[in-house]
């Protein structure tokens, strides 16, 4: 049976459970099976997200972050899009080409081909429900305790993928993937500074 994952907030979990939803401890998300009546859960079933970023080729960047839960230093990854990747502008209904490299985050869906490469690098990048954003997206999880590490803070100044020094930049490992990448994303960091610090490696 196919699992259908639900976007259930913490405040609504008892209601979803009472209707027959079950908890997936691995993905940290409520779900129903394909045999259940989806109409009962329609308020929590997200429509499939249409890709709004695409890139031919991408780089998996590997860095490190202290887990808030167990205090261990865990490996994290970031998805760095190639120069001249494209972003869909919903206001004027066209694809815009971007001349800089950019990290994509809050990824709600990723094409299967790219996801296969990502899963070959790490098993700790998982689709989970975030209580902060009240939405499900691919996020880093701790390799030791499986705690959710979130996403956006990794790109703040001093975060794993926004180093303040050349020495910190050299700590980032990169693996380029020659594969088409497209995804539905709610955020992106695009900056000339990314090109600059990668040159320090």
């Amino acid at each position: 049976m196919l699992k259908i994952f639900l976007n259930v907030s913490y405040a609504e979990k008892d209601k979803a459970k009472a209707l027959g939803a079950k908890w997936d401890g691995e993905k940290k998300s409520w779900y129903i099976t394909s045999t259940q009546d989806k109409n009962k859960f329609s308020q929590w079933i997200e429509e499939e997200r249409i890709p709004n970023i695409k890139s031919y080729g991408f780089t998996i960047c590997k860095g490190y972050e202290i887990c808030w839960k167990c205090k261990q230093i865990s490996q994290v990854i970031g998805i760095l899009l190639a120069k001249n990747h494209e972003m869909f502008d919903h206001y004027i209904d066209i694809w815009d080409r971007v001349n800089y490299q950019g990290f994509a985050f809050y990824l709600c869906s990723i094409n299967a081909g790219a996801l296969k490469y990502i899963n070959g690098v790490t098993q700790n990048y998982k689709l989970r429900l975030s209580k902060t954003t009240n939405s499900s997206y691919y996020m880093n999880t701790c390799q030791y305790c499986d705690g959710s590490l979130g996403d956006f803070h990794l790109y703040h100044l001093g975060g794993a993928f926004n180093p303040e020094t050349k020495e910190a930049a050299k700590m980032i490992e990169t693996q380029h993937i020659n594969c088409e990448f497209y995804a539905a994303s709610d955020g992106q960091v695009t900056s000339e500074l990314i090109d600059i610090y990668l040159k320090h490696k």
Side-chain angles (χ1 to χ4, degrees), residues 167-183:
E167 291 70 25
K170 291 176 182 178
M171 295 291 291
I172 300 172
E173 300 175 45
T174 58
Q175 181 176 340
H176 184 70
I177 307 296
N178 287 314
C179 168
E180 187 177 29
F181 179 94
Y182 53 92

Side-chain angles (χ1 to χ4, degrees), residues 68-140:
W68 63 271
K69 188 175 182 181
C70 71
K71 310 305 179 186
Q72 297 274 11
I73 298 176
S74 180
Q75 186 180 80
V76 292
I77 69 163
I79 305 300
L80 181 62
L81 306 177
K83 284 185 178 180
N84 297 318
H85 65 275
E86 296 179 67
M87 298 178 63
F88 190 72
D89 189 326
H90 293 281
Y91 293 103
I92 53 178
D93 205 31
I94 64 168
W95 286 93
D96 285 331
R97 192 173 296 277
V98 181
N99 293 324
Y100 304 137
Q101 289 183 287
F103 280 106
F105 56 92
Y106 291 159
L107 299 173
C108 308
S109 66
I110 303 173
N111 63 300
L115 194 58
K116 181 179 179 181
Y117 282 103
I118 295 169
N119 289 337
V121 172
T122 178
Q123 295 296 308
N124 301 311
Y125 192 65
K126 303 174 183 179
L127 183 63
R128 285 190 175 173
L129 176 67
S130 166
K131 294 178 183 177
T132 303
T133 64
N134 195 31
S135 62
S136 297
Y137 64 85
Y138 284 91
M139 65 178 71
N140 287 281

Side-chain angles (χ1 to χ4, degrees), residues 7 9 46 50 56 59 80-81 88 113 116-117 119 124 151 162 165 169-170 178 181 194 200:
N7 186 17
S9 68
E46 294 181 334
I50 299 172
Y56 188 81
T59 300
L80 181 62
L81 306 177
F88 190 72
K116 181 179 179 181
Y117 282 103
N119 289 337
N124 301 311
D151 210 2
N162 194 349
T165 65
K170 291 176 182 178
N178 287 314
F181 179 94
I194 295 171
H200 293 319

Side-chain angles (χ1 to χ4, degrees), residues 9 18 27 29 55 70 97 120 151 166 191 193:
S9 68
K27 294 189 179 294
S29 179
S55 174
C70 71
R97 192 173 296 277
D151 210 2
K166 293 180 181 179
S191 171
L193 296 176

